[in-house]
């Protein structure tokens, strides 16, 4: 029966109305977790065929390996709240599948290539490799801190990704899906190089709005191919670019139209992703340029000057990371990518185009297994305003959340329970605090603490020897079915709401049965009530574990249960607690977020917005007071070289530097610790204002000032484009 049940979950059967009276179908409808819709026009024969093929498909899926991936975070900047909108639900889903007894591989990694990384690295005086490693480590630490537990977290600059990308591109070429084409490409005569993607700005050829090289980000939002942008300007020198012919390589995406329309009909996941992609395929499907003029990236096979476009090698990282995990685990990666399997991609709503169109076409053209589902998350708003790093409308996960001592499970609960996964999420500190205080503290934590405390106090710290209420077991079973259904439908709010409804039921049950009175008048009745309440508490902990793993492990220990609750199946929620089992020590599970603390968090956020706004006005609205040429000449600005860099105790922003300014070494205190690692600065040439009046910072005298650009609150050091003699004056 367990095997048959798994075949039917979830099942939407379209049955004729009269089939309800057929004994076989009637029995199945009563004993299996099916959702049956009756339709008078359909025959018995059609119904049986539908049931047969559904059972056949479900049986085949039961034996398939399951792979879950997340869209790769770009190794170009720190993690913000918008990132977690994808990764936390994916982790909840994986933990839920494992509690259903399914074996799941969960992989992700850093997207380390592309022009934005090269541009940012150049601005910071770093190599692209160093920059990508810095943020790869940052994201890895954030995910571990937020309990997003990947089986493997890789890097698209790993040799495995280079090798797999080259293999797939060569397969596409052999199959006739990649071909060369000569195109007119923006070229900067001053910088003497072709300008890929973020190195060029201009006008969108479709709507005329300002656009960057690969996307009309200010207008229609269309993806732009190399050479399409009009009136190109070089972002490096600001000069006008010209157009020159060059041979690039294109993927014959237009040849996959019929395949994609058929594939999208069977693709599971969020309907919004499927519908968006289907409309795009029907209206426009052009061949796709898959090479770029760069040194950083995966070399295009047979070329020394071109690399593979980042949106080719990034998703191939899913395969490479699977290979790397399998190599360590003694498994065969082809079981996931060359044979029937369930591949489920969790992505942000802004990269549906790539995952539902480009990616399946690439897989089909090179002979790989296709994704079975694409789950796209809704976008994020902060305090009811559009998310924007440049406007300061952003919450940084490390600085604003983790470093403030907030528990990761609180944010995980917020992201899972606020709204449906494909809907827009609004985050505000006051809403966050209200959900924590009313739902987690006031309902969930309150019930578990009351049940435990009263049992420990009145029954010698053990589970009372009473019977469990049949209605309680029925409510637990009903909740468990709703949680499983919610996870299978990627409706995480549905799952969390069901658990919270059970917590409310527990509070009502405890309050209405008044065990504080029964323990004095009818101890056996009190024992039954409390054992029933403890069974509800056990069920709550098991079913909420995917959402709040650390807090639920704490609660599991308080219940006196051994081992890890993450390894306990959903079905164990119905297994009765043993009478006489020792309970743990009751503790407060969730602490209330006080108004003063919340106000402090809100102030940090509002100050960031004000600072970003003042910077914008400072460059646009406020005209600086003019100075004379003589005033400028009075400033002694030279090219210096950093000889040594040390951290300053007590400050996470300042570094103490020894800077050679030409025959003399000055001590400089600079607020660049959050932008540059001290070991990367030694030997770097910088621009130094030498004749600045000395000042003390953290008790250390600073005898000069480094000049830097302010990029969204981050210091980017000014550097000469080519090496010059130390001490050279800037005029």
């Amino acid at each position: 029966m367990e095997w048959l049940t798994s075949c039917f979950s979830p099942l939407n059967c379209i049955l004729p109305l009269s089939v309800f009276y057929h004994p076989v179908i009637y029995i199945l409808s009563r004993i299996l977790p099916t959702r049956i819709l009756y339709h008078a026009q359909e025959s018995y024969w059609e119904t049986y065929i539908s049931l047969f093929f559904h059972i056949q498909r479900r049986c085949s899926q039961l034996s398939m390996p399951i792979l879950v991936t997340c869209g790769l975070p770009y190794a170009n900047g720190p993690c913000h709240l918008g990132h977690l909108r994808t990764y936390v639900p994916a982790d909840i889903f994986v933990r839920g599948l494992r509690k259903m007894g399914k074996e799941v591989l969960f992989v992700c990694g850093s997207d380390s290539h592309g022009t934005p990384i090269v541009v940012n690295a150049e601005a910071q005086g770093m190599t692209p490799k160093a920059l990508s490693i810095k943020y790869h480590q940052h994201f890895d630490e954030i995910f571990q801190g937020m309990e997003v537990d990947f089986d493997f977290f890789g890097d698209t600059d790993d040799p495995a990704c280079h090798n797999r990308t080259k293999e797939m591109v060569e397969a596409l070429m052999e199959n006739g899906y990649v071909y060369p084409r000569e195109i007119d490409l923006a070229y900067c005569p001053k910088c003497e190089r072709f300008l890929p993607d973020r190195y060029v700005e201009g006008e969108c050829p479709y709507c005329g709005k300002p656009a960057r090289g690969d996307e009309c980000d200010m207008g229609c939002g269309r993806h732009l191919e190399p050479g399409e942008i009009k009136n190109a300007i070089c972002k490096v020198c600001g000069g006008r670019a010209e157009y020159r012919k060059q041979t690039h390589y294109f993927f014959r995406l237009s040849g996959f139209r019929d395949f994609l329309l058929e594939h999208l009909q069977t693709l599971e996941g969020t309907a919004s992703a499927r519908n968006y992609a289907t409309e795009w395929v029907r209206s426009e499907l052009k061949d796709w340029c898959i090479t770029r003029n760069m040194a950083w990236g995966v070399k295009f096979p047979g070329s020394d000057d071109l690399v593979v476009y980042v949106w080719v090698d990034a998703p191939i990282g899913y395969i490479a990371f699977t290979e790397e995990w399998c190599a360590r685990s003694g498994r065969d990666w082809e079981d996931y990518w060359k044979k029937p399997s369930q591949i489920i991609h969790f992505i942000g709503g802004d990269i549906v185009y790539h995952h539902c169109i480009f990616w399946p076409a690439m897989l089909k053209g090179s002979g790989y297994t296709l994704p079975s589902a694409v789950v796209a998350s809704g976008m994020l708003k902060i305090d009811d305003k559009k998310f924007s790093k440049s406007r300061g409308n952003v919450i940084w996960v490390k600085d604003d959340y983790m470093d403030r001592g907030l528990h990761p499970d609180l944010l995980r609960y917020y992201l899972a329970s606020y709204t449906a996964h494909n809907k827009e999420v609004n985050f505000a500190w006051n809403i966050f605090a209200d959900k924590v205080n009313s739902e987690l503290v006031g309902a969930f934590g309150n019930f578990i603490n009351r049940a435990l405390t009263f049992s420990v106090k009145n029954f010698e710290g053990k589970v009372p020897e009473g019977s469990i209420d049949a209605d309680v077991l029925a409510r637990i079973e009903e909740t468990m079915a709703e949680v499983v259904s919610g996870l299978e439908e990627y409706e995480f709010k549905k799952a969390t709401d069901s658990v919270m409804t059970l917590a409310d039921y527990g509070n009502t049950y405890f309050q209405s049965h008044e065990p504080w009175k029964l323990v004095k008048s009818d101890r056996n009745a009190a024992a039954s009530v409390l054992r029933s309440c403890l069974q509800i508490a056990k069920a709550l902990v098991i079913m909420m574990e995917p959402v709040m793993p650390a807090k639920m492990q704490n609660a599991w220990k308080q219940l006196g249960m051994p081992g890890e609750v993450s390894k306990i199946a959903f079905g164990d929620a119905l297994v009765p607690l043993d009478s006489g089992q020792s309970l743990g020590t009751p503790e407060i599970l969730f602490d209330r977020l006080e108004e003063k603390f919340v106000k402090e968090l809100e102030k940090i956020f509002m100050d960031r917005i004000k600072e970003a706004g003042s910077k914008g006005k400072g460059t646009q609205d406020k005209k600086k007071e003019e100075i004379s040429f003589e005033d400028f000449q009075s400033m002694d600005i030279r090219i210096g070289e950093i000889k040594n860099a040390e951290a300053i105790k007590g400050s996470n922003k300042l570094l103490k530097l020894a800077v050679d300014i030409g025959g003399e070494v000055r001590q400089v205190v600079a607020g660049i610790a959050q932008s540059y690692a001290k070991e990367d600065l030694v030997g770097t040439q910088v621009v130094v204002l030498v004749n600045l009046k000395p000042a003390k910072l953290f008790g250390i005298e600073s005898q000069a000032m480094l000049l830097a650009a302010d990029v969204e609150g981050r210091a980017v050091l000014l550097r000469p484009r080519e090496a010059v003699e130390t001490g050279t004056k800037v005029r």
Side-chain angles (χ1 to χ4, degrees):
M1 178 57 66
E2 184 177 340
W3 166 82
L4 190 57
T5 299
S6 63
C7 289
F8 275 80
S9 178
L11 170 59
N12 290 287
C13 294
I14 308 298
L15 303 182
L17 186 59
S18 58
V19 86
F20 180 79
Y21 300 104
H22 190 286
V24 175
I25 302 300
Y26 177 77
I27 291 171
L28 288 175
S29 72
R30 304 307 297 170
I31 65 175
L32 297 177
T34 59
R35 295 182 299 281
I36 297 181
L37 304 174
Y38 300 105
H39 195 284
Q41 281 74 38
E42 196 161 4
S43 67
Y44 285 122
W45 179 244
E46 289 171 319
T47 297
Y48 295 143
I49 291 175
S50 174
L51 285 170
F52 172 78
F53 282 113
H54 177 84
I55 294 173
Q56 184 184 53
R57 185 174 70 255
R58 291 292 293 168
C59 287
S60 66
Q61 288 179 344
L62 288 174
S63 62
M64 289 180 185
I66 302 173
L67 173 68
V68 177
T69 80
C70 283
L72 311 186
Y74 205 39
N76 194 38
C79 182
H80 53 70
L81 207 58
H83 287 110
L84 298 185
R85 182 74 175 105
T86 297
Y87 305 111
V88 166
D91 182 76
I92 293 170
F93 178 71
V94 169
R95 289 174 183 269
L97 289 184
R98 288 172 177 159
K99 295 185 93 64
M100 298 177 207
K102 299 180 181 180
E103 185 178 342
V104 190
L105 175 59
F106 189 26
V107 302
C108 189
S110 296
D111 184 356
S112 297
H113 297 141
T115 53
I117 286 177
V118 178
V119 171
N120 195 9
E122 288 180 354
Q124 296 191 40
M126 303 172 67
T127 65
K129 180 71 174 177
L131 183 72
S132 66
I133 289 174
K134 171 184 175 181
Y135 286 113
H136 170 79
Q137 293 172 344
H138 167 80
F139 274 99
D140 195 14
E141 291 170 3
I142 291 293
F143 291 146
Q144 291 182 46
M146 288 301 301
E147 301 165 317
V148 177
D149 190 16
F150 294 114
D151 293 306
F152 189 87
F153 187 72
D155 181 340
T156 57
D157 200 46
D158 290 346
C161 193
H162 280 254
N163 294 335
R164 184 53 47 194
T165 300
K166 290 175 182 177
E167 188 277 336
M168 285 191 69
V169 170
E170 287 171 350
L172 290 170
M173 295 174 75
E174 290 173 7
N175 294 333
Y177 295 120
V178 172
Y179 63 92
R181 183 203 295 176
E182 191 175 66
I183 61 174
D184 290 321
L185 198 63
Y187 180 88
C188 178
K190 185 175 180 180
C191 297
E192 297 182 334
R193 64 177 173 186
F194 284 97
L195 303 174
D197 299 346
R198 305 296 172 91
Y199 277 94
V200 62
E201 291 180 338
E203 294 178 7
C204 174
Y206 300 101
C207 70
K209 297 283 186 179
R212 60 193 188 200
D214 60 345
E215 181 186 8
C216 179
D217 55 325
M218 301 290 286
C220 61
R222 292 173 69 123
H223 168 80
L224 300 181
E225 290 292 317
E228 283 194 316
I229 198 163
K230 302 299 182 185
N231 299 319
I233 301 241
C234 174
K235 285 190 67 175
V236 177
C237 69
R240 185 166 294 279
E242 56 188 45
Y243 289 87
R244 295 187 182 181
K245 293 190 179 297
Q246 189 185 37
T247 297
H248 277 263
Y249 289 84
F250 283 74
F251 175 51
R252 206 180 300 276
L253 186 62
S254 59
F256 288 85
R257 184 178 187 278
D258 293 341
F259 154 74
L260 286 169
L261 289 175
E262 183 179 348
H263 167 69
L264 289 168
Q265 287 181 354
T266 61
L267 183 67
E268 298 179 354
T270 47
S272 57
R274 186 169 54 250
N275 295 339
Y276 173 85
T278 300
E279 188 60 33
W280 191 283
V281 173
R282 284 175 176 162
S283 62
E284 179 182 30
L285 202 62
K286 298 190 299 183
D287 290 354
W288 179 38
C289 182
I290 61 169
T291 50
R292 294 294 188 272
N293 295 89
M294 294 176 65
W296 175 243
V298 178
K299 292 292 184 184
F300 186 81
S303 174
D304 294 328
D305 302 323
L306 301 176
V307 298
V308 173
Y309 180 40
V310 64
W311 270 112
V312 174
D313 73 88
I316 293 174
Y318 301 142
I319 304 176
F321 304 151
T322 306
E323 286 186 84
E324 293 185 77
W325 179 84
C326 286
R328 297 179 182 182
S329 308
R331 300 285 295 272
D332 187 351
W333 69 270
E334 291 192 357
D335 288 344
Y336 296 93
W337 289 102
K338 289 284 190 175
K339 300 173 184 177
S341 64
Q342 294 183 70
I343 300 171
I344 303 167
H345 296 308
F346 277 75
I347 63 169
D350 56 337
I351 53 175
V352 166
Y353 183 77
H354 308 84
H355 282 77
C356 292
I357 300 176
F358 292 167
W359 180 227
M362 286 170 51
L363 292 169
K364 178 69 173 177
S366 51
Y368 286 78
T369 303
L370 298 174
S372 52
V374 173
V375 185
S377 61
M379 303 305 286
L380 177 78
K381 293 175 73 174
I382 306 293
D383 203 22
D384 265 333
K385 304 178 186 70
K386 184 178 179 180
F387 175 87
S388 172
K389 290 182 285 186
S390 62
R391 293 189 177 96
N393 202 43
V394 59
I395 301 292
W396 301 110
V397 176
K398 184 177 186 302
D399 295 347
D400 297 337
Y401 191 87
M402 296 175 66
D403 286 355
R404 304 287 169 188
L406 289 159
H407 197 283
D409 283 353
L410 307 183
L411 184 54
R412 287 174 64 99
Y413 175 76
Y414 186 97
L415 293 172
S417 66
Y418 183 87
T419 190
H421 183 67
N422 64 333
K423 301 296 184 184
E424 190 174 68
V425 166
N426 177 50
F427 181 88
W429 285 116
N430 62 322
I431 302 175
F432 172 75
D434 183 62
K435 282 183 71 69
V436 169
N437 292 340
S438 62
E439 297 172 21
L440 297 182
V441 177
F444 193 100
N446 178 59
F447 169 72
I448 291 179
N449 188 258
R450 291 173 82 189
L452 273 168
T453 300
F454 205 86
S455 298
V456 168
K457 180 180 178 181
N458 293 281
F459 289 88
E460 301 176 346
K462 297 179 180 180
V463 176
E465 294 185 2
S467 59
I468 300 176
D469 192 328
D471 288 341
V472 165
L473 292 175
R475 279 303 282 266
I476 292 173
E477 186 174 17
E478 179 184 333
T479 302
M480 186 169 59
E482 290 172 351
V483 169
V484 170
S485 174
L487 291 171
E488 289 182 326
E489 296 166 8
Y490 313 107
E491 287 291 352
F492 307 104
K493 177 175 173 55
K494 174 181 175 180
T496 54
D497 283 354
S498 298
V499 180
M500 292 305 297
T501 299
L502 181 62
D504 290 336
Y505 169 80
N507 275 308
T508 301
Y509 187 89
F510 186 95
Q511 195 69 23
S512 62
H513 285 78
E514 300 181 327
W516 58 90
K517 293 182 179 179
L518 286 176
V519 78
K520 298 175 182 177
S521 61
D522 188 343
R523 192 169 177 80
N524 290 334
S528 294
V529 168
L530 289 172
R531 192 176 179 204
S532 296
C533 287
L534 290 173
Q535 191 67 34
I536 294 172
K538 177 186 177 183
L540 289 172
V541 172
I542 290 173
M543 287 187 277
M544 192 62 95
E545 183 274 330
V547 180
M548 297 188 288
K551 286 292 186 181
M552 293 307 99
Q553 182 60 35
N554 183 331
W556 190 246
K557 182 180 178 182
Q558 290 185 46
L559 284 168
M561 300 298 290
E564 299 176 29
V565 67
S566 62
K567 300 185 185 304
I568 304 300
F570 282 131
D572 282 6
L574 289 167
V575 177
L577 287 163
D578 293 332
S579 296
Q581 171 195 310
S582 294
L583 296 168
T585 303
E587 301 173 0
I588 298 298
L589 196 56
F590 300 101
D591 293 319
R592 182 178 178 80
L593 295 180
E594 299 299 335
E595 184 178 0
K596 180 181 178 182
F597 178 61
V598 176
K599 292 292 185 185
E600 290 173 0
L601 296 172
E602 289 176 334
K603 184 178 185 305
I604 292 168
F605 172 66
M606 295 308 298
D607 286 348
R608 179 179 295 132
I609 290 179
K610 289 178 182 178
E611 183 181 356
S614 64
K615 287 176 184 174
K617 290 179 180 178
T619 56
Q620 298 175 18
D621 302 332
K622 295 181 180 179
K623 188 175 181 180
K624 295 289 186 181
E625 183 179 344
E626 293 181 344
I627 63 172
S628 67
F629 182 67
E630 287 73 26
D631 289 332
F632 174 78
Q633 282 188 312
S634 69
M635 292 186 286
D636 186 358
I637 304 175
R638 306 183 199 175
I639 302 300
E641 181 180 342
I642 298 175
K643 294 297 186 180
N644 188 47
E646 300 174 14
I648 294 177
K649 187 177 181 179
S651 174
N652 61 358
K653 294 183 178 181
L654 301 176
L655 292 177
K656 183 173 74 171
L657 310 173
V659 183
D660 184 355
I661 59 172
E664 178 186 359
V665 175
R666 292 279 184 95
Q667 179 173 279
V668 179
V669 178
I672 58 174
Q674 294 181 338
S675 300
Y676 300 92
K678 59 183 185 295
E679 55 270 18
D680 294 333
L681 288 168
V682 177
T684 300
Q685 286 197 319
V686 289
V687 181
V688 188
L689 178 59
V690 174
N691 61 335
L692 186 70
K693 185 177 179 180
K696 281 193 174 182
L697 299 170
F698 267 66
I700 300 173
E701 186 177 77
S702 182
Q703 301 165 337
M705 177 188 288
L706 304 191
L707 301 189
D710 188 336
V711 181
E712 299 181 1
R714 178 175 54 82
V716 177
L717 291 171
L718 302 187
R719 303 176 62 230
R721 186 173 175 188
E722 57 190 62
V724 298
E725 185 177 347
T726 300
T728 300
K729 291 203 171 188
V730 176
R731 305 182 183 280

